[in-house]
Amino acid sequence: SGWNSDELQFVLDNCENYSDAPSPDAWCENFLTFRDAPKVFGEDDNIVQKLQNFQPDPFDTSTITDELVENTSQLPRIACTGTLKPESGPTAPTSPTPPVP
């Protein structure tokens, strides 16, 4: 997700508000910088449109797999059947050599 695990744990340990859910009036604005807009109380009738402006460009999965991964409304509950493409380039990891008995 891009979070530094130590920083996230610090926020979780130190940000206190009444809510254990993503409530519209319980924020950790002293710990986090929000990308969408300043936080205000009240209903936000147009939140989807506002948040669309802050979304990153779509991730190109074609370098990883040829499997279709868009417009998935529900994750499959079966064994994975997709095929990952091999890594390429000079930084591709190699399989570890098994120890010799």
Side-chain angles (χ1 to χ4, degrees):
S1 70
W3 275 95
N4 173 301
S5 60
D6 292 333
E7 185 175 341
L8 177 57
Q9 191 61 55
F10 179 81
V11 172
L12 294 172
D13 292 342
N14 293 287
C15 174
E16 294 188 23
N17 60 44
Y18 74 91
S19 179
D20 288 329
S23 300
D25 60 348
W27 311 295
C28 290
E29 66 272 10
N30 294 334
F31 295 90
L32 304 170
T33 301
F34 293 94
R35 293 180 60 188
D36 56 346
K39 298 299 173 201
V40 295
F41 289 97
E43 293 296 319
D44 192 346
D45 297 330
N46 203 15
I47 194 165
V48 173
Q49 183 179 353
K50 287 181 180 179
L51 292 177
Q52 286 295 343
N53 296 328
F54 296 97
Q55 298 308 304
D57 292 333
F59 181 74
D60 178 13
T61 59
S62 68
T63 60
I64 301 169
T65 183
D66 291 324
E67 182 179 11
L68 295 177
V69 294
E70 294 188 17
N71 299 320
T72 303
S73 60
Q74 185 175 355
L75 293 175
R77 300 288 182 212
I78 57 174
C80 177
T81 57
T83 302
L84 295 178
K85 292 181 176 181
E87 290 190 52
S88 61
T91 59
T94 58
S95 299
T97 305
V100 177

